[in-house]
Amino acid sequence: MDNAGIEEMFQGLGPVTVKRMFGGKGIYHMGRIIAVEVRDEMLLKADETSAPEFAAAGATQWAYEGKKGKPVKMPYWSIPEEAYDDPDLMAKWVRLAYEAALRAE
């Protein structure tokens, strides 16, 4: 996804900064990372407070295979499909990501 598309996706939250990282992109709002783009998939930050809401909406948690072959779960979740067609719903999810970033401090 190009930076203009990312900025549009997060417009319900406000201005974002996009930085290259780990072969993907990190998306920041007010200096806090709120999302990553990995392998052309946008993943939003979540925590123990917001993760159940992501799971209930059918989102999946990002995990990669660790050194011993066991999955390592990261604090990033896929965006529920219906949010891609509804700017108000997308705004809800990106706000949840920002709230998780604030709690991580």
Side-chain angles (χ1 to χ4, degrees):
M1 179 177 290
D2 65 12
N3 288 4
I6 292 171
E7 290 168 359
E8 182 179 333
M9 179 180 285
F10 288 87
Q11 70 185 358
L13 185 59
V16 295
T17 304
V18 181
K19 297 180 182 179
R20 300 188 87 197
M21 60 186 294
F22 312 124
K25 296 177 181 178
I27 294 78
Y28 296 78
H29 177 66
M30 305 290 287
R32 293 178 172 87
I33 189 161
I34 57 170
V36 293
E37 183 189 43
V38 180
R39 295 185 199 101
D40 297 322
E41 182 179 14
M42 187 62 65
L43 302 162
L44 299 177
K45 187 170 190 71
D47 60 9
E48 64 279 347
T49 300
S50 58
E53 194 165 348
F54 277 87
T60 56
Q61 187 174 12
W62 177 38
Y64 66 90
E65 188 174 319
K67 291 182 181 180
K68 296 184 180 186
K70 294 190 178 196
V72 177
K73 292 184 177 183
M74 300 298 291
Y76 295 95
W77 288 71
S78 63
I79 299 172
E81 286 298 318
E82 62 274 7
Y84 287 100
D85 296 325
D86 184 338
D88 293 332
L89 195 51
M90 182 64 76
K92 169 196 167 184
W93 292 108
V94 299
R95 278 193 302 272
L96 283 174
Y98 181 61
E99 291 166 5
L102 289 172
R103 287 188 294 270
E105 289 289 314

